[in-house]
Each structure stands twice: as C-alpha cells, then as structure tokens.
Amino acid sequence: MANTPQSKKRARQNDRKLEVNKARRSRIRTFLKKVEEAITLGDKKSAASALKSAQPELMRGVTKGVYKKNTAARKMSRLSARVKSLA
C-alpha cells in the first residue's frame, strides 16, 4: 500500500491513466473489429473504408503510448494485406 504522499499521488495517477488507456484500447479494437467483419463478409469496399478509418485510430494509440509502433505497423500491414487479397 502507498504510504508517502508522493506514492499516493502516483497511485491515483496510475488509476486515472489505466481508465483512459483502457478506453483507448477498446476504441481501437472496435475499429479493428469493423475491418475484420467486413473482411469475413467479403465486402472489399466496406473493408477498405473501415481500414482507412482504423489507421488513424491505431496511430493515435501509438502516439498516446497504448501500443508500440511496430505492433501497430504489424497490425496495419496484416489487415491491409487481407483487404487487398479480397476479390
């Protein structure tokens, strides 16, 4: 348990940051899920538009520290390859 005033404040800050990051991660996952659903339906046009809207969200997650840069790049690369392969 936090004892010093500094450690108590740090614990409060960590709790706030956890909630914010959880919301950001959830929002990004929702965008990625929309792309996944469009891919499974085989709709290339909607998959491409969903991917286009998911890209800035994922990159915003990188700048906010929710995801690492290479993780986001890997996710985008794999999704864009799957969208591209749709007939």
Side-chain angles (χ1 to χ4, degrees), residues 20-84:
V20 170
N21 285 341
K22 197 186 295 185
R24 284 189 179 124
R25 205 174 302 118
S26 172
R27 181 178 163 87
I28 292 168
R29 284 184 188 143
T30 303
F31 275 89
L32 296 180
K33 201 181 300 179
K34 288 178 186 174
V35 179
E36 292 284 346
E37 288 172 1
I39 289 171
T40 55
L41 291 174
D43 188 3
K44 187 169 184 171
K45 193 168 192 170
S46 68
S49 66
L51 182 68
K52 197 172 180 85
S53 64
Q55 279 177 329
E57 283 298 321
L58 198 53
M59 288 303 128
R60 190 171 298 122
V62 171
T63 60
K64 299 297 183 181
V66 177
Y67 286 111
K68 292 195 172 183
K69 187 170 62 172
N70 286 349
T71 303
R74 184 183 67 240
K75 286 179 184 291
M76 288 311 308
S77 175
R78 289 179 182 175
L79 278 177
S80 58
R82 287 175 62 196
V83 169
K84 191 176 180 181

